[in-house]
């Protein structure tokens, strides 16, 4: 099983380090050739506008969208969630992959100085709470009925899934808890992408 971390910008190394702890073959993906090799992809947190620009510049935008539509398992964290969303309400002019039927507000939980941590209940991961780190996180303001909510905070969903696509507004790669990455690996294993 080969897992790619979209390597345009953002906290790529942290995801790779987490995957390494889980003994997975993981590498940075920033070319069409590398995309062809993977069974699953993590889109890291960072700056969604920068990642979007680089995806378009390298011509990977359409190819990646196509692959996800064909069933490639993907997990987007923070800026990754923004890229996967259908609509960015706070920045209506900003394009996105339009994969997940959610609408988000960028920085919906406040600015960098308003970053915070919270213990989340994620039933899919068992009883032990998950320490979630939110950094200029997107706020989900609207979503379609097919979206599965895996975790909520303060009355809004913060981790969602639809089929092969999962997204969280927080950063699991920074908390040292491996359970969300493990969950994603199970999704990849069960997927029939290849
Ligand atoms: N606020 C950033 C954006 O809009 C996302 C922040 C993050 O990924 N930690 O792209």
């Amino acid at each position: 099983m080969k897992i790619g971390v979209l390597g345009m910008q953002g906290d790529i190394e942290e995801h790779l380090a987490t995957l390494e702890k889980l003994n997975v073959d993981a590498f940075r993906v920033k070319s069409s050739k590398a995309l062809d090799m993977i069974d699953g992809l993590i889109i890291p947190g960072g700056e969604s506008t920068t990642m979007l620009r680089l995806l378009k510049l390298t011509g990977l935008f359409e190819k990646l969208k196509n692959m996800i539509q064909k069933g490639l398992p993907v997990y987007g964290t923070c800026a990754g969630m923004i890229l996967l969303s259908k609509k960015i309400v706070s920045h209506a002019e900003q394009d996105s992959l339009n994969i997940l039927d959610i609408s988000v507000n960028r920085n919906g939980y406040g600015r960098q100085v308003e970053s915070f941590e919270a213990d989340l209940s994620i039933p899919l991961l068992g009883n032990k709470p998950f320490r979630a780190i939110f950094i200029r996180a997107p706020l989900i303001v609207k979503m379609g009925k097919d979206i599965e909510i895996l975790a909520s905070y303060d009355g809004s969903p913060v981790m969602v899934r639809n089929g092969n696509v999962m997204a969280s507004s927080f950063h699991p790669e920074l908390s040292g808890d491996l359970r969300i990455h493990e969950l994603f690996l199970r999704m990849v294993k069960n997927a029939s992408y290849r």
Side-chain angles (χ1 to χ4, degrees), residues 74-78 81 100 102 109 120-125 130 132 134 138-140 143 147-153 155-162 165-172 178-184 186-187:
V74 175
Y75 172 35
T77 61
C78 204
M81 174 192 266
L100 261 185
I102 56 172
Y109 292 90
L120 299 182
S121 153
I122 309 180
L124 214 57
L125 301 181
F130 193 96
F134 293 80
L139 174 68
I140 298 180
M143 56 176 216
I147 302 289
E148 181 188 3
I149 300 176
L150 303 183
S152 295
Y153 173 76
S156 301
V158 289
M159 183 173 173
V160 293
R161 184 165 68 172
N162 187 9
V165 184
M166 182 162 80
S168 69
S169 46
F170 55 91
H171 289 262
L178 305 176
R179 287 178 295 161
I180 294 184
H181 287 79
E182 281 170 341
L183 170 66
F184 180 59
R186 285 201 293 281
M187 282 171 59

Side-chain angles (χ1 to χ4, degrees), residues 45-185:
E47 204 52 55
S48 56
T49 47
T50 308
M51 279 188 242
L52 182 70
R53 192 157 42 84
L54 293 173
L55 274 174
K56 294 212 165 166
L57 214 67
T58 52
L60 295 186
F61 184 85
E62 284 303 326
K63 173 164 179 155
L64 176 59
K65 184 172 163 134
N66 244 303
M67 286 172 73
I68 304 173
Q69 279 166 340
K70 287 194 179 124
L72 175 76
V74 175
Y75 172 35
T77 61
C78 204
M81 174 192 266
I82 298 170
L83 287 175
L84 289 169
S85 71
K86 180 176 172 177
K87 200 169 165 190
I88 304 160
V89 180
S90 60
H91 298 71
E93 74 294 345
Q94 186 175 328
D95 202 1
S96 67
L97 289 163
N98 190 2
I99 293 282
L100 261 185
D101 187 6
I102 56 172
S103 302
V104 300
N105 277 340
R106 287 176 61 199
N107 308 329
Y109 292 90
R111 297 174 301 151
Q112 186 81 20
V113 289
E114 285 149 327
S115 300
F116 63 98
E117 297 185 16
D119 280 326
L120 299 182
S121 153
I122 309 180
L124 214 57
L125 301 181
N127 286 334
K128 194 174 152 232
F130 193 96
R131 190 79 180 155
I133 301 174
F134 293 80
I135 305 165
R136 298 173 60 224
L139 174 68
I140 298 180
V141 290
K142 202 176 149 199
M143 56 176 216
K145 58 175 176 3
D146 292 336
I147 302 289
E148 181 188 3
I149 300 176
L150 303 183
S152 295
Y153 173 76
D154 203 16
S156 301
V158 289
M159 183 173 173
V160 293
R161 184 165 68 172
N162 187 9
N164 57 313
V165 184
M166 182 162 80
S168 69
S169 46
F170 55 91
H171 289 262
E173 74 287 3
L174 300 179
S175 66
D177 192 328
L178 305 176
R179 287 178 295 161
I180 294 184
H181 287 79
E182 281 170 341
L183 170 66
F184 180 59
L185 296 183

